[in-house]
Amino acid sequence: MRHTLLPSASPHRSPTPPAPTTSPAPPAPPARRRLSLAALRSAVRPELWRRAPVLTVSALLLGLVMMLHAEIPNGFGSIGSLVETFLPWFGLFVPVLAAGALWRRSPAAVTALVLPVTVWLSLFGGLLGDKSGPGGDLTVATHNVGAENPDPAGTARDLAASGVDVLALEEITAQDRGVYEKGLAGAYPYHAVLGTVGVWSKLPLSGTRPVDIATDYGPLADTKPADAGMAGNRALRTTVATDRGPLVVYVAHLGSVRLNPRAGFWTDSRDRNVQALGEALAADRSERVVLLGDLNGTLDDRAFGGITSQLHSVQDAAGDGFGFSWPAKFPVARIDQILVRGVEPTDSWVLPATGSDHLPVAAGVSW
């Protein structure tokens, strides 16, 4: 039988060399990291930062106007006072500019918006929260009842129901005076009316007298009869007897302002009244003073510096929000004010609308 011999491995044969190895490929960056790097490279592209230059400049100008509002000239047309009157509303431009910046994908415009947002919050951020507290030794209110008020009797009923201790009224007409006196008599046993302003109180009043705020001005002022001057009187001072001691109360209705193409923001009579009232307050050394009235201006307006340097706003100290009071149908400004010295505001609020074009404002004070 024939046998076939199979070749056998030689004992001297070299082993098969191992296959060459290669270093493993580095892991691919995570998708999130790739996206972040792509977004960063995209954001630093110079052409992106040149987008929407008008929006960028507008945002910077908005911030500068709010930050430097006191430096805006007030010579022609009282532009500075006009800007300051509606200063809180400048914040509405921020979301408009932000929407435009996002739509145009402009990082420069978005970054520029940091300035107006920061300035607005520094000016008005403190008004966004509720700072009112409980208690209060006395409540006060003021209301421009409106010379054209179609329902003075209803206004009197609403004010009597408010329950405040001391109530000041402005713009009382000769024909409506009796309506207010009758409508408020049940709630307020003490009252005084001098010209177009009056005060009603649950506590005794004394020493009520007119305050000269330079309402009659010019060469004909000295020739006006005394009774005619009193009929047009727009400010008074009285003393309220409280169980914590006397409280001096001023009631004032300052001159109106007008906005027209020829004169701009006309504030001459109001500014003259502000100066005269500020001088009267400075000369009054009473420890506790409350000023109630329609001042026809917001306290951001530089014209009121002579008053706000002596008294402080109850709304700023103890209010909830801006406390806008005019016009009643859609309030855009707080021109009806309560300011105090020597007492502490505990809360400040706006009362419901009456038949007037102003809203009543009220506050609690303590000492």
Side-chain angles (χ1 to χ4, degrees):
M1 184 174 185
R2 185 176 180 180
H3 296 279
T4 304
L5 298 176
L6 296 175
S8 59
S10 172
H12 303 290
R13 192 171 182 179
S14 298
T16 305
T21 60
T22 57
S23 58
R32 183 179 300 175
R33 182 180 175 190
R34 291 199 303 269
L35 290 174
S36 299
L37 291 174
L40 179 61
R41 285 193 294 268
S42 176
V44 297
R45 285 187 299 172
E47 60 269 22
L48 278 183
W49 288 84
R50 290 194 292 267
R51 283 184 179 177
V54 173
L55 290 174
T56 303
V57 172
S58 298
L60 293 174
L61 286 176
L62 176 61
L64 290 173
V65 166
M66 291 192 292
M67 182 170 62
L68 303 175
H69 63 88
E71 306 302 323
I72 299 175
N74 215 15
F76 174 75
S78 298
I79 299 300
S81 286
L82 179 60
V83 168
E84 290 167 335
T85 297
F86 299 102
L87 196 58
W89 293 95
F90 278 65
L92 292 180
F93 291 109
V94 170
V96 174
L97 292 172
L102 294 174
W103 179 61
R104 294 296 307 276
R105 299 181 182 177
S106 171
V110 172
T111 303
L113 282 169
V114 172
L115 178 62
V117 169
T118 302
V119 174
W120 193 92
L121 288 175
S122 69
L123 291 173
F124 305 111
L127 294 174
L128 298 180
D130 185 357
K131 300 181 292 297
S132 61
D137 297 317
L138 192 76
T139 53
V140 298
T142 181
H143 187 31
N144 180 327
V145 293
E148 304 298 325
N149 191 326
D151 184 20
T155 297
R157 285 194 304 271
D158 292 341
L159 294 173
S162 70
V164 299
D165 298 307
V166 179
L167 171 67
L169 301 186
E170 304 86 46
E171 211 165 289
I172 303 170
T173 63
Q175 59 269 30
D176 290 339
R177 173 175 173 171
V179 176
Y180 291 113
E181 290 177 327
K182 179 180 179 180
L184 296 171
Y188 299 99
Y190 308 96
H191 86 281
V193 178
L194 298 179
T196 63
V197 294
V199 58
W200 277 257
S201 176
K202 295 181 179 180
L203 303 171
L205 302 173
S206 64
T208 305
R209 60 175 176 80
V211 176
D212 183 7
I213 57 170
T215 299
D216 292 325
Y217 178 78
L220 298 179
D222 293 336
T223 64
K224 181 179 288 189
D227 56 345
M230 180 54 67
N233 178 70
R234 293 165 67 106
L236 64 79
R237 178 192 186 276
T238 192
T239 301
V240 180
T242 78
D243 56 2
R244 304 294 299 274
L247 176 69
V248 171
V249 173
Y250 283 80
V251 180
H253 182 196
L254 305 188
S256 298
V257 299
R258 297 286 185 270
L259 184 61
N260 60 69
R262 300 185 64 181
F265 191 49
W266 185 82
T267 63
D268 290 4
S269 64
R270 192 235 18 217
D271 293 350
R272 187 173 65 248
N273 296 162
V274 169
Q275 182 177 352
L277 180 58
E279 292 171 355
L281 291 167
D284 194 325
R285 302 302 180 185
S286 302
E287 181 181 359
R288 303 182 184 96
V289 176
V290 174
L291 170 60
L292 307 167
D294 173 8
L295 302 190
N296 268 309
T298 71
L299 299 183
D300 294 311
D301 190 334
R302 68 195 69 180
F304 291 93
I307 293 177
T308 55
S309 62
Q310 304 180 63
L311 294 85
H312 60 278
S313 165
V314 297
Q315 186 66 23
D316 289 348
D320 179 10
F322 290 91
F324 293 147
S325 64
W326 178 89
K329 291 184 177 179
F330 187 80
V332 298
R334 184 181 176 90
I335 65 175
D336 302 275
Q337 308 288 355
I338 302 175
L339 298 101
V340 299
R341 180 178 76 203
V343 294
E344 290 300 322
T346 56
D347 54 350
S348 175
W349 66 97
V350 178
L351 293 167
T354 70
S356 172
D357 58 339
H358 291 243
L359 295 176
V361 297
V365 297
S366 182
W367 60 87

